[in-house]
Amino acid sequence: MAFKGFKPFKQRASTNIAYKAIPVPGMTTMYLLSLGYTTVNDALTDEDEKKLDEQLESQTLILETVRDIMEKEKVEYKEANNLLFGIKVKTIQTDEGAEVVASDESSEFAMFKYMGRERYKALLKAMAKKNKDRALVESVATGMIARRALYPVIVSKSAREGADTLIVEPLAFPMAKGDKAQFGDVVVTLSANAECDATTLKLTDEISTRIKHNTVGFALDSNGVVIAGYDGWSLELTKSELPNAPIDVAQEIYEFYMSERGMKTDGDAGALDEEMDLGKSNPLLTDSETVENESVSTTVNSTGKSSTTESQTPDSTPKTLEVSLSG
């Protein structure tokens, strides 16, 4: 039986575009579409999947040991984790209140004691392999940029309600008459072309609400779907154009991918990397820190992806944009 107007697969529109902002030191900020999950297109190659399994081995060994400690010592997760890493705390009463002091027990010795010889050796091997294998990080970063990179439009001067123009930071890509951009819940349509480096967007209609200074918006395709992906991005560009200091950009993108996949990459186990000198990128970045890096400009064919976290629109109109990371 057919019901008039019934659309069982109608998509529910999202009011906002979720994204992950990743600083590219000395150049710009990269925005990656966040869906909250990975798609079929995000799947790793068989070779990369094998490398990921190897890199996750260290976390698996740690969790197995924490579980064993919980069962043997009859303690909760946090205390079992502290025991594994040699963190035994005591409270000292001072004039200003209680002060928690950690013991100086070696984390390596504590892990050896609780993990045993063979499991500890396996952990060292897994951590060394994780630290050595850069190929997986670069491959994942390349794929995420090629599929998830957004085209930002950043407001440089607050626009009042009723305005028919937007003052923005110089565009890193050209936009054509009829193109759209979304700023939070507000979608605007251009009434005239805007070339690369343009700072003024002329709109077909007056905006319905005030758009504040520094608001980040994103280019949409003709169907109103957020444009995501730099099809021209390659592994060679990841290696040559993404700096690794003061933050490792490829590593940041890899960790974003892992979070989309529902896998935690930091936290308690992160301390293990520092303790054992097996490496983790420094996430800190100050405005004064820059890295010399040539800008990259490439022409890309971008396929539209839905801004909703429930579904994607595979039939959205492809669009070609030229984007530069410098800015």
Side-chain angles (χ1 to χ4, degrees):
M1 179 180 293
F3 296 92
K4 185 177 181 181
F6 177 60
K7 297 180 180 180
F9 303 114
K10 184 177 180 180
Q11 297 178 3
R12 182 169 62 86
S14 173
T15 56
N16 287 291
I17 298 170
Y19 62 86
K20 171 70 173 179
I22 298 178
V24 183
M27 299 170 69
T28 186
T29 298
M30 182 177 292
Y31 299 89
L32 300 178
L33 179 66
S34 177
L35 298 174
Y37 57 86
T38 51
T39 69
V40 173
N41 289 336
D42 294 328
L44 301 181
T45 64
D46 290 341
E47 182 179 351
D48 283 342
E49 195 67 49
K50 181 179 179 181
K51 291 176 183 176
L52 179 59
D53 287 341
E54 292 174 346
Q55 293 203 1
L56 293 176
E57 182 65 20
S58 61
Q59 290 174 261
T60 302
L61 288 167
I62 291 170
L63 289 175
E64 287 177 348
T65 306
V66 170
R67 178 201 61 195
D68 292 346
I69 295 174
M70 291 173 65
E71 294 176 354
K72 181 179 179 180
E73 305 293 340
K74 306 301 181 185
V75 295
E76 297 299 323
Y77 170 80
K78 185 175 182 179
E79 185 175 349
N81 189 77
N82 287 345
L83 289 172
L84 176 61
F85 284 91
I87 304 173
K88 296 181 179 178
V89 297
K90 57 183 177 179
T91 303
I92 299 176
Q93 295 296 328
T94 65
D95 294 338
E96 298 178 354
E99 179 181 359
V100 177
V101 180
S103 73
D104 59 356
E105 181 177 2
S106 165
S107 60
E108 289 90 343
F109 177 75
M111 285 186 285
F112 179 80
K113 178 173 64 176
Y114 286 107
M115 301 186 79
R117 178 183 177 85
E118 293 307 315
R119 187 181 280 181
Y120 183 67
K121 285 175 63 178
L123 175 66
L124 292 179
K125 289 180 180 179
M127 291 299 297
K129 185 175 292 186
K130 176 181 178 180
N131 188 56
K132 181 180 179 181
D133 191 357
R134 177 70 177 178
L136 175 62
V137 171
E138 292 174 341
S139 178
V140 168
T142 300
M144 290 299 280
I145 294 173
R147 293 184 295 270
R148 298 280 197 102
L150 300 175
Y151 293 79
V153 182
I154 304 172
V155 177
S156 61
K157 181 179 179 180
S158 296
R160 59 178 174 76
E161 179 182 352
D164 59 2
T165 60
L166 277 178
I167 307 301
V168 299
E169 293 185 5
L171 292 177
F173 52 91
M175 299 184 71
K177 178 181 178 180
D179 284 354
K180 302 175 185 294
Q182 181 171 337
F183 301 87
D185 291 336
V186 180
V187 175
V188 301
T189 303
L190 272 64
S191 62
N193 295 341
E195 301 300 325
C196 189
D197 292 329
T199 57
T200 300
L201 302 182
K202 297 181 179 179
L203 312 178
T204 58
D205 299 298
E206 296 179 348
I207 60 174
S208 58
T209 186
R210 182 171 180 262
I211 301 179
K212 296 181 179 179
H213 168 67
N214 284 337
T215 297
V216 180
F218 300 101
L220 309 179
D221 68 11
S222 58
N223 295 320
V225 177
V226 63
I227 299 172
Y230 298 170
D231 285 351
W233 193 267
S234 65
L235 182 62
E236 288 69 27
L237 286 174
T238 295
K239 291 179 178 180
S240 65
E241 302 299 338
L242 297 187
N244 56 20
I247 65 170
D248 186 337
V249 176
Q251 180 70 27
E252 294 292 312
I253 297 173
Y254 168 79
E255 292 180 2
F256 167 64
Y257 167 82
M258 293 295 284
S259 69
E260 290 286 277
R261 189 163 169 162
M263 296 182 179
K264 189 175 181 181
T265 59
D266 53 8
D268 294 326
L272 180 65
D273 292 354
E274 296 179 7
E275 288 283 347
M276 305 180 75
D277 294 325
L278 291 174
K280 190 176 190 302
S281 65
N282 178 10
L284 300 179
L285 172 64
T286 63
D287 292 338
S288 62
E289 292 175 308
T290 59
V291 173
E292 291 186 6
N293 201 313
E294 294 181 0
S295 63
V296 54
S297 180
T298 180
T299 300
V300 297
N301 295 317
S302 302
T303 55
K305 291 183 184 292
S306 175
S307 60
T308 176
T309 59
E310 293 188 353
S311 58
Q312 297 187 49
T313 307
D315 59 347
S316 55
T317 306
K319 182 172 185 176
T320 299
L321 295 176
E322 182 178 286
V323 62
S324 172
L325 282 184
S326 61

